[in-house]
Amino acid sequence: MVSGVKFHIMKRISEHYDFIVIGGGLAGTCAAIAAARGGLKTCLIHERPVLGGVASSEMRVTVHGAGCHHAYGRETGIIGEMLTEERARNHEAINENGWTNSVFDQVLYDFCVREGNLTLHLNTPVYDVIMKEGEAVEQAPHTELGYYYRPACNTSRQIQAVVARTQSAEVEMTLSADHFVDCTGDAMVADRAGCEWRMGTESRDEFSEGHAPETASTDTMGNSIHIRAKDVGRTAPFTPPEWAVKHTDPGYFYDQGRSPHDPRGGYWWIEIGIPWNTIYDNETIRHELTRHALGIWDWMKNHDPKMKEVCKNYALDFIGQVPGKRESRRVVGRHWITENELARREDYPDVIAHGGWFLDLHTPGGLLAPSSEPAAAEGYKQDSEYAAKSYIGPYGIPLRSLMARDVDNLFMAGRCLSTSRAAMGTLRVMGTTALMGQAVGTAVSQMKQHQVDFLKLADDAATGGPLMEAIQEQLMSDGVFLPNRRHQAEQDLSLAATVTASSSALFHGQTPDDCDYSDGQRDWFVRPPVSLNKVQGQLLFLNGGVVDSLSVFLDNSGEECTVHARLVRLDYIWDYRQGGSELIAEADMQVPAGDGKWIEWTCELNGLPDGSYRVELVSDSETVRWHRVTHFQPGHVSYAYLSPTAMRDQHVGQSIRVKPGQPCYGPEQIQSGVCRPQSSSNCWRSDAGVGMPQWLQLAWPHPQTIRRVNVSFAGHLLMEVHPEPGFWRDPQTAKDYDVEALVDGRWKTVHRVRGNYQRQNKFTLEEAVTCQQLRLLVLATNGDPTVTVYEFRAES
């Protein structure tokens, strides 16, 4: 017996916090960090030994979000910091599901441990909810509406505490707080607190949603486990256990959207839900998934005519045993999101995040169904009827959808938010849910700062009132992008400054021969020329009002043909309407037979408003192609045909030249209040031919006292994290820089940074400085010959 230790049946602890987060997936982790950074005494409770939820090394699902389908749609803020840090620390490449190692677990743990206001309780499931002057409830749902429906049955409108037990420690904790957020995925806290919820599928008639089935049902998407295999350099035999599923039909895989194309694994379609309940039957589902996963690997290794030889030297290295869930309870909140709102990009007054994953509803049953998710079943066609129907966003997400309707101190973040099942198909991915978590943590900290309660916040959010504006300003200050919002904080001194720079790049175009600095990402950008038998497009930011000519690099393997060209005005970079908002000019260009050559359109346009435009090309010929580029300049992305009326993003650039060069990267761009390309580039970019150092300067007519500085560089915006190799540092981020103030006629360094690779840098100066001129002096980037800055803010 250890001296001094007195044993009890159960050690019981009581703790009080400002804010308690239940569930340590990405939504919960970001909520806890945001609240702690906002000054709240915060507790994060998680049932597993590692943070990250489905993104952890236990489940190994890679983080997806809007950046997969929309260039410059990637999530920023806390989740952006985390993913950037993981790539910088991790030697592993990202494949797909099943490939995550424990480095990301440690990044998340590090981010939490750093926060002095944050207490972590891992290995600690919550099993009970204590209501203030009421009782927790256990009322079962009914299926009279077709889906599982549990009406509100709360006995109180306030949660007082949650009760949790630390596994293998015989410790029970009663944890009380002023506010709570349910990030459990299954909405366990909201359920016990008596909130109204749904689970299953609403009918098409209920909300007039195109992705809803005609008939309501209890069907849900399934749970998944993942496998990973490694090349061991020699023949690696595999014998499955007798209880593994036996596969003999190639059509099950290759005709039903379950292609086992990669010997390393990465198969999201190892999925089972119905006939089992994804909550109560999770262990049964785990076993069934294990049987199928082993059977799938047996098929690949020992039977598949296409993959047997490919997999010869591969050995199974990981098989998950903690199923990741896609769908269960959805809690009714202060606003109920529907598919139609997201499709029309509703401008919510309380927007706190954005999304843009496609509307992804898997076939119920998964491996037991006749086919997998519809997009996979049709071979991921980019211009099918289903692809056009499912391509959505980027859209905003309202705070009210994260506020419980029936309990007045409970938020939700993650897939249990207040939404129809159809809309949940796009909202459920982790990049998006992480933004929800940060928004909730920020909202609660702002509530305390402004001494506003939950009900007043709900009323304020519905009208976009002053508290909502403060929350939005804080989110944008912390790096979060909000659709239709510009950062315009009163304390931002840069808005009233005159901005100058050491040099500024002109956009002359981008060619197939442009130098490439993307290092490990290069292979991702190398794409073949694209046929013009369907309309293709290239974005241009035009500034200065004049375009004398445009040229495109085309080849033609047939006879001379005609390409129709038009220049159209766009509302912003994600304006996917064919023809944009206005036709500016059009012409027919003759393309001779032969290899690639520049084809010029002399358009002689004057008086063009500054903004975003698109060159659209199409031809009746099947033989003419438009060449792509391996490196394009910020914002200048391309578009492909999606439907007779719409286009979709391509994440790559088409070759194009414009005369004269366009001054779209001037220093004044950083005053736009938007930190990514939208209706303009919104960034300053130095001239690549000048070299380093380069500087960006703020000047005022009168002295200003500056205490805080916020800098946002380019990088980590164009696409998802997946193409980034191990130990990646985005070349467009500034590596070494100084912030200098002009004091008594001399430049004084007031802050110095070396070895940076994060996109956003926020810091408080050791001593406030009073000056009329402040400059950002960049000495080196992580590889880009230019400096690109979206934001250089000085605050009093």
Side-chain angles (χ1 to χ4, degrees):
M1 181 174 180
V2 179
S3 176
V5 176
K6 185 176 181 180
F7 285 91
H8 300 271
I9 297 175
M10 180 74 69
K11 182 178 180 180
R12 290 180 170 83
I13 299 172
S14 295
E15 298 173 350
H16 181 79
Y17 297 90
D18 297 322
F19 182 50
I20 290 178
V21 182
I22 305 98
L26 292 185
T29 303
C30 290
I33 291 171
R37 290 179 179 179
L40 296 183
K41 184 182 178 184
T42 304
C43 178
L44 173 56
I45 315 169
H46 189 45
E47 65 181 354
R48 306 301 306 171
V50 292
L51 297 166
V54 180
S56 74
S57 62
E58 291 189 313
M59 303 185 208
R60 302 194 176 192
V61 177
T62 54
V63 179
H64 282 298
C68 181
H69 300 283
H70 307 280
Y72 296 97
R74 182 162 163 180
E75 295 76 18
T76 45
I78 294 172
I79 185 60
E81 297 173 36
M82 291 172 169
L83 292 175
T84 298
E85 191 65 37
E86 186 275 339
R87 286 291 78 205
R89 295 187 191 183
N90 202 340
H91 65 282
E92 286 268 33
I94 298 175
N95 178 31
E96 244 302 339
N97 297 335
W99 208 252
T100 305
N101 62 21
S102 60
V103 173
F104 194 35
D105 300 342
Q106 292 304 307
V107 168
L108 301 181
Y109 189 70
D110 177 31
F111 267 62
C112 289
V113 172
R114 287 186 215 167
E115 298 299 331
N117 289 325
L118 177 55
T119 298
L120 270 177
H121 288 303
L122 298 178
N123 292 301
T124 305
V126 169
Y127 71 91
D128 200 6
V129 174
I130 299 173
M131 303 301 292
K132 188 176 292 185
E133 300 177 357
E135 300 292 333
V137 298
E138 291 190 14
Q139 179 172 320
H142 63 72
T143 57
E144 295 172 9
L145 300 174
Y147 45 81
Y148 294 113
Y149 173 72
R150 211 284 298 276
C153 53
N154 50 306
T155 60
S156 167
R157 296 199 65 88
Q158 292 272 327
I159 297 175
Q160 179 175 311
V162 294
V163 183
R165 285 180 180 165
T166 304
Q167 297 172 2
S168 303
E170 298 185 13
V171 174
E172 182 179 274
M173 292 179 282
T174 301
L175 305 171
S176 60
D178 301 325
H179 294 93
F180 300 80
V181 60
D182 189 334
C183 300
T184 61
D186 286 338
M188 187 278 286
V189 175
D191 173 60
R192 303 300 190 275
C195 293
E196 178 181 336
W197 57 260
R198 299 177 176 202
M199 178 173 165
T201 304
E202 292 96 352
S203 70
R204 186 168 301 167
D205 289 343
E206 184 160 1
F207 300 114
S208 300
E209 295 173 305
H211 278 78
E214 291 187 7
T215 305
S217 73
T218 57
D219 292 353
T220 63
M221 291 181 280
N223 303 350
S224 284
I225 62 172
H226 299 292
I227 62 174
R228 171 180 171 169
K230 291 180 67 174
D231 185 346
V232 296
R234 62 186 185 277
T235 301
F238 175 74
T239 303
E242 286 297 319
W243 46 268
V245 172
K246 304 297 189 293
H247 287 288
T248 59
D249 179 14
Y252 176 82
F253 296 98
Y254 294 104
D255 298 336
Q256 298 179 18
R258 304 184 185 98
S259 173
H261 60 281
D262 191 331
R264 299 171 297 175
Y267 305 130
W268 56 263
W269 44 260
I270 301 177
E271 170 187 1
I272 293 176
I274 61 171
W276 294 287
N277 184 292
T278 56
I279 297 176
Y280 301 118
D281 299 324
N282 192 43
E283 267 299 289
T284 300
I285 292 173
R286 181 200 57 76
H287 175 68
E288 291 300 314
L289 286 168
T290 304
R291 294 180 61 239
H292 279 270
L294 292 169
I296 290 163
W297 183 243
D298 175 47
W299 163 258
M300 294 171 64
K301 284 283 295 181
N302 300 322
H303 306 286
D304 188 342
K306 294 184 178 181
M307 293 300 293
K308 181 178 178 180
E309 188 62 28
V310 176
C311 295
K312 180 179 178 180
N313 290 353
Y314 279 82
L316 196 61
D317 185 62
F318 169 82
I319 179 165
Q321 289 296 282
V322 182
K325 296 182 183 179
R326 292 177 176 86
E327 180 180 3
S328 53
R329 300 182 183 102
R330 293 169 282 115
V331 181
V332 175
R334 306 274 166 162
H335 181 88
W336 183 259
I337 300 175
T338 65
E339 174 188 343
N340 297 325
E341 292 179 359
L342 303 184
R344 66 175 179 259
R345 299 176 181 174
E346 184 83 12
D347 186 9
Y348 299 107
D350 54 338
V351 60
I352 40 75
H354 79 284
W357 182 252
F358 81 109
L359 217 154
D360 181 15
L361 294 167
H362 294 199
T363 306
L367 291 169
L368 307 182
S371 67
S372 69
E373 182 271 328
E378 66 177 20
Y380 293 109
K381 294 179 181 178
Q382 297 294 294
D383 57 2
S384 69
E385 181 179 347
Y386 182 79
K389 176 183 177 181
S390 303
Y391 194 68
I392 192 169
Y395 50 77
I397 300 168
L399 178 63
R400 286 165 295 151
S401 67
L402 310 179
M403 303 178 69
R405 188 194 64 188
D406 303 313
V407 175
D408 296 337
N409 63 344
L410 177 64
F411 293 83
M412 306 85 67
R415 57 184 168 84
C416 59
L417 82 161
S418 179
T419 178
S420 70
R421 196 254 182 175
M424 189 270 299
T426 172
L427 291 162
R428 65 185 176 83
V429 291
M430 288 183 287
T432 307
T433 61
L435 294 178
M436 298 178 197
Q438 182 169 353
V440 168
T442 300
V444 178
S445 66
Q446 289 290 312
M447 288 170 65
K448 185 168 184 179
Q449 289 181 35
H450 291 82
Q451 297 184 331
V452 171
D453 65 21
F454 189 91
L455 294 177
K456 288 182 179 178
L457 172 62
D459 291 341
D460 188 272
T463 60
L467 177 58
M468 195 64 240
E469 291 178 356
I471 293 168
Q472 291 167 337
E473 286 290 347
Q474 186 62 55
L475 286 168
M476 289 185 285
S477 177
D478 292 337
V480 174
F481 169 75
L482 300 181
N484 305 310
R485 298 296 184 274
R486 295 179 181 272
H487 186 64
Q488 296 177 325
E490 292 181 4
Q491 65 269 29
D492 182 3
L493 302 175
S494 66
L495 296 176
T498 299
V499 190
T500 55
S502 52
S503 69
S504 294
L506 296 176
F507 180 77
H508 294 282
Q510 50 201 28
T511 79
D513 300 322
D514 283 348
C515 64
D516 174 68
Y517 56 79
S518 56
D519 193 20
Q521 284 188 311
R522 179 180 169 80
D523 290 345
W524 197 93
F525 285 105
V526 176
R527 305 286 184 88
V530 60
S531 172
L532 293 180
N533 63 338
K534 292 183 178 180
V535 65
Q536 306 290 323
Q538 171 61 45
L539 183 138
L540 295 173
F541 290 124
L542 301 180
N543 292 66
V546 177
V547 175
D548 294 332
S549 68
L550 295 165
S551 300
V552 292
F553 197 79
L554 309 178
D555 68 35
N556 183 4
S557 61
E559 298 180 352
E560 180 173 315
C561 65
T562 300
V563 169
H564 184 70
R566 61 191 180 204
L567 179 69
V568 302
R569 184 75 189 269
L570 303 180
D571 288 345
Y572 65 144
I573 193 172
W574 298 320
D575 187 342
Y576 296 129
R577 298 170 294 176
Q578 282 192 34
S581 60
E582 179 185 1
L583 175 65
I584 303 301
E586 59 184 335
D588 287 331
M589 302 187 299
Q590 296 304 118
V591 182
D595 295 337
K597 57 182 65 67
W598 287 101
I599 308 298
E600 185 174 26
W601 171 18
T602 303
C603 42
E604 297 181 339
L605 299 171
N606 293 280
L608 293 174
D610 293 349
S612 53
Y613 295 77
R614 184 166 57 226
V615 175
E616 297 180 356
L617 303 183
V618 67
S619 175
D620 291 334
S621 171
E622 299 282 341
T623 63
V624 64
R625 302 184 305 170
W626 192 357
H627 284 239
R628 288 168 166 159
V629 296
T630 58
H631 165 58
F632 60 93
Q633 298 185 41
H636 287 87
V637 296
S638 64
Y639 305 81
Y641 174 91
L642 176 63
S643 73
T645 60
M647 306 185 80
R648 67 180 300 153
D649 167 79
Q650 286 294 286
H651 285 88
V652 294
Q654 301 291 154
S655 56
I656 196 162
R657 287 175 175 170
V658 57
K659 295 180 180 178
Q662 298 295 303
C664 59
Y665 297 122
E668 73 284 349
Q669 290 284 338
I670 70 157
Q671 294 176 304
S672 70
V674 181
C675 289
R676 64 183 68 201
Q678 288 289 280
S679 58
S680 62
S681 73
N682 294 323
C683 65
W684 164 67
R685 194 167 193 243
S686 70
D687 186 336
V690 176
M692 301 292 172
Q694 292 286 313
W695 53 261
L696 182 66
Q697 181 173 299
L698 306 176
W700 299 272
H702 305 288
Q704 306 291 323
T705 299
I706 298 164
R707 293 178 173 83
R708 292 176 297 277
V709 176
N710 193 338
V711 186
S712 293
F713 302 104
H716 318 311
L717 284 177
L718 174 62
M719 65 189 80
E720 290 190 300
V721 69
H722 295 68
E724 297 173 1
F727 299 135
W728 173 253
R729 288 160 170 77
D730 194 291
Q732 295 180 100
T733 53
K735 180 181 179 181
D736 302 326
Y737 68 89
D738 295 337
V739 176
E740 300 181 329
L742 190 63
V743 179
D744 297 329
R746 300 182 63 181
W747 287 106
K748 174 185 177 182
T749 300
V750 295
H751 191 77
R752 176 167 292 168
V753 174
R754 298 293 183 267
N756 172 64
Y757 47 82
Q758 286 284 350
R759 176 177 180 264
Q760 186 187 42
N761 290 193
K762 293 180 66 175
F763 44 84
T764 300
L765 302 180
E766 289 186 8
E767 294 182 4
V769 62
T770 299
C771 64
Q772 287 182 246
Q773 294 181 49
L774 188 77
R775 74 177 183 181
L776 174 71
L777 180 68
V778 178
L779 307 173
T781 69
N782 283 293
D784 192 339
T786 68
V787 178
T788 305
V789 177
Y790 283 93
E791 180 179 49
F792 178 35
R793 293 207 335 263
E795 297 181 357
S796 56

